[in-house]
Amino acid sequence: MRAIAAMAEAAPQGEPMIRATVMPADANPYGTAFVGWIMGQMALAAGALVSREARARAPVVAADGFSFTAPLAVGDELSVYAAIARQGRTSYQVSVEAWGRGRHGAAMARVALGRFTLVATEPRD
Protein backbone atom coordinates (compact mmCIF):
# COMPACT_ATOMS: atom_id res chain seq x y z
CA MET A 1 0.00 0.00 0.00
CA ARG A 2 1.31 3.40 -0.98
CA ALA A 3 1.89 5.77 1.92
CA ILE A 4 0.70 9.35 1.66
CA ALA A 5 3.51 11.52 0.34
CA ALA A 6 3.77 15.29 0.64
CA MET A 7 2.53 17.14 -2.42
CA ALA A 8 3.66 20.47 -3.83
CA GLU A 9 0.24 21.91 -3.00
CA ALA A 10 -0.33 23.22 0.50
CA ALA A 11 -3.35 22.17 2.53
CA PRO A 12 -6.04 24.86 2.88
CA GLN A 13 -5.60 27.35 5.70
CA GLY A 14 -7.75 27.20 8.82
CA GLU A 15 -9.43 24.36 10.61
CA PRO A 16 -11.11 21.55 8.72
CA MET A 17 -14.89 21.26 8.94
CA ILE A 18 -14.53 17.52 9.54
CA ARG A 19 -11.69 15.28 10.63
CA ALA A 20 -12.12 11.49 10.67
CA THR A 21 -10.03 8.33 10.73
CA VAL A 22 -10.60 5.70 8.04
CA MET A 23 -11.89 2.58 9.79
CA PRO A 24 -12.12 -0.97 8.38
CA ALA A 25 -15.89 -0.57 7.85
CA ASP A 26 -15.15 2.44 5.57
CA ALA A 27 -12.74 0.49 3.36
CA ASN A 28 -12.89 -1.79 0.35
CA PRO A 29 -11.24 -5.26 0.23
CA TYR A 30 -7.94 -3.60 -0.74
CA GLY A 31 -7.79 -1.65 2.53
CA THR A 32 -8.47 1.80 1.09
CA ALA A 33 -11.43 4.06 1.80
CA PHE A 34 -14.48 3.76 -0.43
CA VAL A 35 -14.81 6.94 -2.51
CA GLY A 36 -18.48 7.00 -1.45
CA TRP A 37 -17.39 7.31 2.18
CA ILE A 38 -15.01 10.15 1.28
CA MET A 39 -17.72 11.90 -0.73
CA GLY A 40 -20.15 11.47 2.17
CA GLN A 41 -17.71 13.13 4.56
CA MET A 42 -17.30 15.96 2.06
CA ALA A 43 -21.09 16.39 1.83
CA LEU A 44 -21.32 16.53 5.63
CA ALA A 45 -18.69 19.28 5.69
CA ALA A 46 -20.51 21.31 3.03
CA GLY A 47 -23.81 20.89 4.87
CA ALA A 48 -22.32 21.96 8.19
CA LEU A 49 -20.84 25.09 6.64
CA VAL A 50 -24.03 26.16 4.84
CA SER A 51 -26.32 25.31 7.78
CA ARG A 52 -24.18 27.52 9.99
CA GLU A 53 -24.10 30.35 7.43
CA ALA A 54 -27.81 30.19 6.49
CA ARG A 55 -29.06 29.28 9.98
CA ALA A 56 -31.33 26.75 8.31
CA ARG A 57 -31.43 23.19 7.04
CA ALA A 58 -29.39 22.87 3.86
CA PRO A 59 -29.68 19.60 1.94
CA VAL A 60 -27.34 18.76 -0.93
CA VAL A 61 -29.12 19.01 -4.29
CA ALA A 62 -26.18 18.48 -6.65
CA ALA A 63 -22.57 17.33 -6.70
CA ASP A 64 -20.16 17.89 -9.57
CA GLY A 65 -16.57 18.30 -10.63
CA PHE A 66 -15.27 15.54 -8.39
CA SER A 67 -11.87 13.96 -8.72
CA PHE A 68 -10.26 11.46 -6.40
CA THR A 69 -6.50 11.83 -6.58
CA ALA A 70 -4.94 9.62 -3.89
CA PRO A 71 -6.01 6.60 -1.85
CA LEU A 72 -6.57 6.64 1.92
CA ALA A 73 -5.64 3.53 3.86
CA VAL A 74 -7.34 2.21 6.98
CA GLY A 75 -5.91 4.25 9.86
CA ASP A 76 -5.21 7.35 7.76
CA GLU A 77 -6.74 10.64 8.86
CA LEU A 78 -9.13 12.52 6.56
CA SER A 79 -9.48 16.30 6.92
CA VAL A 80 -12.22 18.03 4.93
CA TYR A 81 -12.10 21.75 4.15
CA ALA A 82 -15.07 23.66 2.72
CA ALA A 83 -15.58 27.20 1.44
CA ILE A 84 -18.60 28.95 -0.01
CA ALA A 85 -17.75 29.67 -3.65
CA ARG A 86 -21.04 31.28 -4.67
CA GLN A 87 -24.22 32.28 -2.89
CA GLY A 88 -27.67 32.98 -4.28
CA ARG A 89 -30.86 33.84 -2.41
CA THR A 90 -31.21 30.34 -0.97
CA SER A 91 -28.66 28.30 -2.90
CA TYR A 92 -25.01 27.89 -2.08
CA GLN A 93 -22.20 26.40 -4.12
CA VAL A 94 -19.49 25.00 -1.87
CA SER A 95 -15.97 24.02 -2.93
CA VAL A 96 -14.69 21.11 -0.88
CA GLU A 97 -11.23 19.56 -0.58
CA ALA A 98 -10.38 16.37 1.26
CA TRP A 99 -6.83 15.87 2.50
CA GLY A 100 -5.24 12.75 3.94
CA ARG A 101 -2.46 12.25 6.46
CA GLY A 102 -0.81 8.93 7.20
CA ARG A 103 -1.43 7.61 10.69
CA HIS A 104 2.15 8.07 11.88
CA GLY A 105 3.33 10.98 9.76
CA ALA A 106 2.91 14.67 9.15
CA ALA A 107 2.83 14.71 5.34
CA MET A 108 -0.56 15.55 3.83
CA ALA A 109 -1.90 14.98 0.32
CA ARG A 110 -5.11 16.07 -1.33
CA VAL A 111 -7.24 12.96 -1.89
CA ALA A 112 -10.36 14.53 -3.44
CA LEU A 113 -11.97 17.77 -4.50
CA GLY A 114 -15.33 18.81 -5.86
CA ARG A 115 -18.34 21.08 -5.54
CA PHE A 116 -21.71 20.68 -3.88
CA THR A 117 -24.82 22.77 -4.39
CA LEU A 118 -27.04 23.09 -1.32
CA VAL A 119 -30.34 24.89 -0.80
CA ALA A 120 -31.25 26.51 2.49
CA THR A 121 -34.77 25.58 3.60
CA GLU A 122 -37.03 26.61 6.43
CA PRO A 123 -35.41 26.09 9.83
CA ARG A 124 -36.78 23.25 11.93
CA ASP A 125 -36.97 23.45 15.70
Side-chain angles (χ1 to χ4, degrees):
M1 174 112 13
R2 181 171 86 63
I4 291 178
M7 298 184 78
E9 301 167 299
Q13 296 297 312
E15 290 295 313
M17 290 299 296
I18 289 183
R19 189 172 277 154
T21 299
V22 180
M23 301 301 287
D26 308 320
N28 60 34
Y30 302 104
T32 58
F34 287 115
V35 296
W37 179 80
I38 295 170
M39 197 169 176
Q41 298 300 310
M42 295 170 77
L44 288 171
L49 176 63
V50 173
S51 291
R52 184 180 303 160
E53 175 73 20
R55 294 192 170 126
R57 295 176 62 231
V60 171
V61 297
D64 63 288
F66 276 83
S67 62
F68 298 89
T69 56
L72 276 176
V74 169
D76 286 353
E77 180 183 86
L78 174 72
S79 296
V80 183
Y81 299 84
I84 295 171
R86 195 171 71 210
Q87 180 180 347
R89 193 174 63 78
T90 60
S91 66
Y92 293 78
Q93 189 173 75
V94 179
S95 296
V96 184
E97 292 187 20
W99 286 73
R101 180 184 65 79
R103 185 74 175 163
H104 302 292
M108 291 182 70
R110 184 168 50 199
V111 297
L113 69 148
R115 288 178 306 280
F116 288 99
T117 302
L118 299 93
V119 175
T121 62
E122 294 295 318
R124 281 197 181 163
D125 295 327

